[in-house]
Amino acid sequence: MAFVTANWNPLGDVFYRKFALYSEWKLKEDISNSLIAAAPYGGPIALMTNESRKERSPSFRPVMEIYSSSGNRIVSFPWKSGIVVHIGWTTNEDLLCIQDDGTVLIHNIFGTFKRHFSMGNEVLQNRVMEAKVFHSAYGSGIAILTGAFRFTLATNIDDLKLRRFPEIPGLKCPPTCWAVLMEDRQTKIILATGKDLYVLDNASYKSVSPPGLGPQVGGFTQIAISFNYKWLALFTDTGSIWLGYSSLKDMLCMVDTNFQTAPKQFVWCNRPKSSNPTVIGIWDKLLFIAGRAEETIKFYLDEDVHLVPEIDGVRIISSNTHEFLHEVPPACQDIFKIASMAPGALLLEAHKEYEKESQKADEYLREIKEQNLLYEAVEQCIEAAGNEYEPQMQKALLRAASFGKCFISNFPPDTFVKMARDLRVLNAIRDYAVGIPLSYPQYKQLTIEILIDRLILRKLYPLAIKICEYMKISEFQGASRILAHWACYKVQQKEEPDDSIARAINHKLGDTPGISYSEIAAKAYDCGRTELGIKLLEYEPRSGEQVPLLLKMKRSQLALLKAIESGDTDLVYTVVAHLKNEMNRGDFFMTLQNQPVALSLYRQFCKHQEPETLKDLFNQDDNHQELGNFYVRSSYCNETTIEGRVANLQSAVDEYNKAKHEIAAKMTEDQIKLLRYQYRLQKEVGKTYLDLSLHDTVSTLLLESKHKQAEQLYKDFKIPDKRFWWLKIAALAEKGDWEELEKFSKSKKSPIGYMPFVEICVKHHNKYEAKKYVAKVNPEQKVKGHIIVGDLEQAVEVATERKNESELNTILSKCTPATDQRIVEKINAAKTQILKK
């Protein structure tokens, strides 16, 4: 195990190790003369020739290069915009290029320009002196120091809200150093000017004094904030490093470096839950590590390097190497430390001996069992395997853990299986072709979901799908989503014809759940491939997704067809409304003519919302029947004057005649005649008659004793005799004119008979008058007439004369034994007589 610890360096109770992430590593540019930024969590590296460090010629254009973490160049392109002051990466792995005028340009990992924004007019006027990109719970932010020594900050570039921090009185020169600090979910700036230290927030600033600083300190030249914003380090002009909490209330320690000049880079290097946080400084070709221990670690370098803080260590990038420096995790220290007797170390040795078929394996196992530490030994090996970078060492540790598990009856397999799965994923993404050298703590912090997103971002679709299948991620979150991204990428390949791309996408995606062909079609349309988008929409089963996109593509006719096929009336109305705004009136009507369903729905809409448009539709179709109906509705709904109403009805008559609808025309003519008569009558009498029906008009006149006018309407409109008699007797009875009713009954033979006279009198509670008409009632109805007026005795006599047993039974049902005993006896006698005969 000596070779495992060969690159370990002690620092107090812990060890630090530095190892190469990739052996084949080479950057084209010299990083000492370039702006460089590397995304955390094994992200890409951007490199740009620093314009401020070179004499510019008129033809000089800086070159932006983006590399994967394995050194594979992704893209290289000339910079054609303004002077870049700072570059950095967002949490989504977008490259931010901050120019001296405050403009921020955003490119993706392949160098494709996405968008830009400005940091405000004040930054534009005073220019950018320094800038920093930082990450927080809110997203990726930018902090800028202007030439006026003021700070402008945006906490989240995706929801841009610029904040101008307060000015520090008396500040006549730029601060010697500054950093962005997150405290209590609030973004702050900590800066040093000489020996004064200030903390700025949105509304105020305060002077702070870290505890434990000696009087000999005359100023601060570098500030370092840890990855999780928990720790803060200050480098003083005396060469000392103050390490403490970011609140500046408690100090961890002071370290004397014996360096009077400030380091080129100053960053934290600590793993999660570590009790030994350390800082790293770079001086020329020296890398210096210091922490709470009295010792320090020094690495002598062959070339300039750039430090990239990670959650559990620091990546060290140079033109020819890419290394990772971190604190050796406790499990690895316990197992691999020289002469270690930890249970994990013994279990690893036991497995090695077992493979050699040596009996020493049993001795090591017995020693572990005697201490009841076999369970702990297995867990130690599993944990150590996760923190080892080399696959061979991972396998050795996992095999040892598997060996130890065999001697534990109830050891849960989940931990072992999960670690084996995670390591397979990590080894796959660490491959040179992929170039994402995540450590196990980084992987757990990043989560598998975000890792999949980053593989999709790099267009590594097959690997992403395999990982999803291997890790048993749901199809909706895994394969379906990845295939959708692949399809969106596929439509951008302009060298392939539309048909082959559409078929390839459908063949690959099929009916995979969670896939939206409309989203892929929208991407094709955005890329200028409208026909491809239309072909892809043919595979979209949801009309609600098809139609809006077809409208956006200006394929309105096809959109209308799809909306009608869907049977969704709201969707049809949406397309019709769009067509109405897009086309001229004539073309719009002609389009609807070819689609009866859409035309019918539009007519319904116009009927309630746009009546005049409905008239135009009927005119264009020469639909005289519907035009006549339209004029009739308009006469009663829209017109308020008699002239307007009559004019509309006359137009309706003309249309009905053109439609050869004689009945409708005749009825409308009669209505015009009635309206004119009612209007004339209304002017003469001063009462309202308009809008009454013919029958109601006659009844009203009769109630008002205007018999001559009622008779005139009877003759003019040829009201049937029976109907007129019914109207008249009802009106006379209603107003109680019994004398006139009697005269009317005697005027001539009643066409409706006399039973209605009886009924109408009884209805108005006048049986006396009703009895006058019973005698005139037809023989078949006389019994009923006598019953109605309550003359049961007379009813019995008539029924007996008619020898009608049914009528006698009807009378009997009306009798009550208590009051009509005599009548009951007569009925029974009559029934007996009828039966005898």
Side-chain angles (χ1 to χ4, degrees):
M1 288 187 289
F3 72 96
V4 177
T5 60
N7 61 347
W8 289 19
N9 294 272
L11 188 69
D13 297 332
V14 299
F15 293 86
Y16 277 77
R17 65 179 171 187
K18 179 167 69 78
F19 58 89
L21 293 172
Y22 295 99
S23 56
E24 298 178 10
W25 173 269
K26 180 68 179 177
L27 296 181
K28 184 179 177 182
E29 288 287 342
D30 180 7
I31 68 170
S32 63
N33 194 39
S34 303
L35 289 175
I36 183 170
Y41 298 100
I45 301 161
L47 206 62
M48 183 181 191
T49 307
N50 195 343
E51 299 172 86
S52 62
R53 298 182 191 177
K54 272 194 174 183
E55 294 183 6
R56 298 185 63 187
S57 65
S59 61
F60 173 76
R61 282 193 183 278
V63 175
M64 177 71 75
E65 294 187 333
I66 300 177
Y67 295 85
S68 71
S69 285
S70 59
N72 183 21
R73 187 164 67 178
I74 299 171
V75 69
S76 175
F77 59 94
W79 186 256
K80 298 179 181 179
S81 190
I83 299 173
V84 177
V85 176
H86 184 77
I87 58 175
W89 292 90
T90 68
T91 52
N92 296 325
E93 295 193 325
D94 285 331
L95 179 62
L96 302 180
C97 301
I98 305 166
Q99 297 185 160
D100 65 342
D101 61 356
T103 303
V104 181
L105 291 85
I106 304 178
H107 295 74
N108 69 11
I109 195 172
F110 296 101
T112 305
F113 176 75
K114 295 179 71 174
R115 64 185 177 94
H116 75 279
F117 60 89
S118 173
M119 290 298 288
N121 287 328
E122 185 191 352
V123 176
L124 176 62
Q125 292 169 6
N126 296 306
R127 316 308 277 181
V128 177
M129 181 174 286
E130 286 185 60
K132 293 183 189 293
V133 175
F134 62 94
H135 306 131
S136 67
Y138 303 107
S140 300
I142 295 175
I144 285 178
L145 173 64
T146 69
F149 315 134
R150 298 287 299 273
F151 287 95
T152 297
L153 186 140
T155 306
N156 182 6
I157 62 167
D158 294 322
D159 182 19
L160 194 64
K161 294 177 183 176
L162 299 177
R163 291 184 292 167
R164 188 182 179 205
F165 277 38
E167 184 178 8
I168 297 176
L171 187 62
K172 303 297 182 183
C173 60
T176 52
C177 55
W178 61 280
V180 180
L181 177 65
M182 293 295 297
E183 189 175 23
D184 300 327
R185 296 185 67 83
Q186 186 179 9
T187 310
K188 300 180 179 181
I189 299 276
I190 180 169
L191 64 93
T193 171
K195 63 179 180 180
D196 298 319
L197 202 60
Y198 298 94
V199 175
L200 283 69
D201 58 24
N202 293 341
S204 62
Y205 72 92
K206 63 179 180 179
S207 177
V208 291
S209 180
L213 283 175
Q216 71 277 15
V217 174
F220 305 97
T221 56
Q222 279 281 23
I223 298 175
I225 306 290
S226 66
F227 195 88
N228 58 5
Y229 296 103
K230 181 180 179 182
W231 310 104
L232 183 144
L234 299 168
F235 191 85
T236 69
D237 59 351
T238 60
S240 298
I241 302 176
W242 182 92
L243 288 85
Y245 289 90
S246 59
S247 62
L248 295 170
K249 293 179 180 177
D250 298 295
M251 182 181 75
L252 289 176
C253 64
M254 284 284 291
V255 179
D256 188 7
T257 65
N258 297 321
F259 291 105
Q260 299 302 313
T261 57
K264 290 181 180 178
Q265 263 193 285
F266 192 49
V267 299
W268 281 86
C269 177
N270 59 295
R271 62 174 181 80
K273 300 180 182 179
S274 172
S275 58
N276 299 283
T278 57
V279 290
I280 300 177
I282 298 289
W283 283 269
D284 292 328
K285 300 291 174 61
L286 175 69
L287 186 148
F288 184 88
I289 305 173
R292 301 176 72 173
E294 294 181 2
E295 305 95 337
T296 60
I297 301 173
K298 294 179 182 179
F299 288 103
Y300 292 94
L301 310 170
D302 297 326
E303 54 188 338
D304 289 324
V305 299
H306 176 75
L307 303 180
V308 184
E310 296 281 5
I311 193 171
D312 60 337
V314 172
R315 285 157 64 197
I316 304 171
I317 299 171
S318 70
S319 297
N320 296 295
T321 59
H322 188 184
E323 299 175 306
F324 186 60
L325 171 66
H326 72 136
E327 179 189 326
V328 179
C332 295
Q333 290 190 42
D334 290 342
I335 292 174
F336 296 117
K337 195 163 52 176
I338 296 172
S340 173
M341 296 299 290
L346 295 175
L347 181 58
L348 182 61
E349 285 299 321
H351 180 256
K352 286 182 178 180
E353 296 299 329
Y354 171 75
E355 287 185 328
K356 295 176 185 177
E357 299 181 359
S358 169
Q359 63 181 13
K360 288 184 179 180
D362 184 56
E363 295 174 8
Y364 285 125
L365 274 174
R366 189 179 297 112
E367 185 175 349
I368 299 170
K369 285 182 177 180
E370 286 174 356
Q371 302 175 51
N372 291 322
L373 295 176
L374 187 55
Y375 194 98
E376 183 181 336
V378 173
E379 287 192 324
Q380 264 187 358
C381 287
I382 293 172
E383 184 183 348
N387 289 290
E388 287 298 321
Y389 197 81
E390 289 298 326
Q392 288 302 116
M393 187 55 66
Q394 297 167 5
K395 289 178 183 178
L397 288 164
L398 287 178
R399 284 170 180 160
S402 179
F403 176 68
K405 283 198 305 123
C406 297
F407 302 95
I408 303 174
S409 57
N410 295 317
F411 187 87
D414 296 352
T415 310
F416 181 86
V417 172
K418 193 169 187 317
M419 181 59 74
R421 287 179 175 273
D422 288 341
L423 285 175
R424 285 198 69 179
V425 171
L426 284 172
N427 290 332
I429 64 171
R430 288 168 180 170
D431 185 79
Y432 177 82
V434 180
I436 306 178
L438 283 179
S439 65
Y440 184 73
Q442 293 169 24
Y443 167 73
K444 301 308 289 183
Q445 179 72 17
L446 191 66
T447 72
I448 186 68
E449 291 77 17
I450 296 177
L451 176 59
I452 296 298
D453 288 340
R454 297 197 168 186
L455 292 174
I456 292 171
L457 184 67
R458 289 160 172 77
K459 299 182 174 58
L460 299 171
Y461 306 111
L463 177 60
I465 290 174
K466 285 182 179 178
I467 289 175
C468 287
E469 292 171 350
Y470 181 69
M471 298 300 285
K472 294 182 171 55
I473 296 173
S474 70
E475 194 170 12
F476 181 77
Q477 291 292 330
S480 295
R481 187 169 64 92
I482 296 164
L483 285 171
H485 281 280
W486 166 80
C488 290
Y489 166 68
K490 185 76 173 174
V491 299
Q492 299 175 53
Q493 298 177 353
K494 297 187 177 181
E495 64 277 4
E496 289 191 47
D498 295 343
D499 287 338
S500 63
I501 289 179
R503 283 195 302 270
I505 289 174
N506 180 246
H507 177 73
K508 182 74 73 175
L509 271 57
D511 297 325
T512 305
I515 292 291
S516 172
Y517 280 97
S518 60
E519 291 180 6
I520 303 166
K523 184 68 176 178
Y525 176 69
D526 292 340
C527 295
R529 305 188 70 172
T530 305
E531 292 303 320
L532 175 57
I534 293 170
K535 291 179 186 297
L536 289 168
L537 280 178
E538 291 296 328
Y539 303 117
E540 176 57 65
R542 296 168 296 175
S543 298
E545 298 291 332
Q546 280 182 319
V547 172
L549 188 55
L550 285 170
L551 291 176
K552 184 180 176 183
M553 293 175 175
K554 303 190 185 305
R555 295 293 193 274
S556 306
Q557 304 272 6
L558 184 57
L560 181 60
L561 188 63
K562 294 293 183 184
I564 292 170
E565 288 176 357
S566 74
D568 187 340
T569 54
D570 289 340
L571 211 53
V572 178
Y573 277 128
T574 300
V575 180
V576 169
H578 181 87
L579 287 171
K580 184 182 175 185
N581 295 329
E582 186 184 63
M583 296 178 168
N584 62 53
R585 200 175 184 85
D587 292 342
F588 173 61
F589 285 164
M590 288 303 296
T591 301
L592 292 184
Q593 288 296 330
N594 299 324
Q595 299 293 344
V597 174
L599 180 60
S600 176
L601 288 170
Y602 186 61
R603 282 175 178 169
Q604 290 294 323
F605 169 78
C606 292
K607 184 177 179 180
H608 299 287
Q609 302 292 332
E610 298 178 5
E612 287 303 315
T613 305
L614 187 63
K615 176 184 170 184
D616 294 340
L617 275 171
F618 294 144
N619 264 323
Q620 179 156 328
D621 296 346
D622 291 331
N623 192 337
H624 300 295
Q625 171 70 41
E626 288 297 337
L627 270 172
N629 296 341
F630 171 80
Y631 282 122
V632 171
R633 280 193 300 270
S634 179
S635 171
Y636 283 91
C637 297
N638 303 326
E639 296 295 338
T640 55
T641 64
I642 186 67
E643 293 83 2
R645 294 178 66 175
V646 169
N648 268 331
L649 289 174
Q650 188 58 55
S651 297
V653 171
D654 297 340
E655 295 298 333
Y656 287 139
N657 285 329
K658 290 177 184 177
K660 297 181 180 180
H661 199 316
E662 296 176 1
I663 295 175
K666 182 67 173 67
M667 291 175 66
T668 310
E669 287 173 348
D670 287 346
Q671 184 63 24
I672 294 171
K673 190 196 304 184
L674 179 62
L675 275 175
R676 285 172 174 160
Y677 188 88
Q678 288 174 334
Y679 182 66
R680 187 171 67 251
L681 197 62
Q682 190 166 296
K683 287 178 71 176
E684 291 173 1
V685 179
K687 288 189 175 181
T688 303
Y689 291 96
L690 283 173
D691 292 332
L692 293 177
S693 68
L694 178 60
H695 289 179
D696 289 344
T697 305
V698 172
S699 294
T700 304
L701 290 171
L702 291 169
L703 284 170
E704 295 171 354
S705 300
K706 294 181 175 59
H707 297 289
K708 286 185 180 180
Q709 291 90 332
E711 292 283 347
Q712 188 64 44
L713 282 174
Y714 161 58
K715 292 175 182 176
D716 290 347
F717 288 92
K718 297 179 182 179
I719 299 175
D721 290 346
K722 288 185 178 182
R723 193 171 299 167
F724 181 71
W725 274 66
W726 267 108
L727 290 171
K728 189 163 184 176
I729 67 173
L732 292 172
E734 185 175 342
K735 70 175 186 175
D737 193 347
W738 307 112
E739 185 178 346
E740 184 65 29
L741 182 64
E742 189 174 358
K743 285 181 182 179
F744 181 61
S745 71
K746 295 175 181 179
S747 62
K748 64 178 182 177
K749 186 178 179 181
S750 171
I752 59 173
Y754 292 94
M755 192 63 189
F757 285 84
V758 176
E759 291 172 341
I760 204 76
C761 291
V762 172
K763 180 181 177 182
H764 290 280
H765 313 293
N766 194 337
K767 291 185 179 181
Y768 176 77
E769 288 293 329
K771 288 179 180 180
K772 295 179 181 180
Y773 305 104
V774 174
K776 298 182 180 182
V777 172
N778 293 335
E780 292 83 5
Q781 293 183 310
K782 268 190 177 179
V783 171
K784 181 181 177 183
H786 284 301
I787 291 172
I788 289 173
V789 299
D791 191 352
L792 296 181
E793 287 188 12
Q794 195 64 37
V796 172
E797 290 180 6
V798 173
T800 303
E801 288 177 7
R802 287 170 51 79
K803 297 178 181 180
N804 192 321
E805 187 178 358
S806 175
E807 290 178 345
L808 287 170
N809 288 332
T810 302
I811 300 166
L812 187 62
S813 67
K814 304 292 182 181
C815 297
T816 56
T819 58
D820 302 315
Q821 187 62 40
R822 190 168 60 83
I823 295 173
V824 171
E825 291 173 357
K826 284 180 72 176
I827 292 170
N828 290 331
K831 288 171 69 177
T832 305
Q833 192 67 26
I834 292 169
L835 289 171
K836 285 180 180 180
K837 294 181 180 180

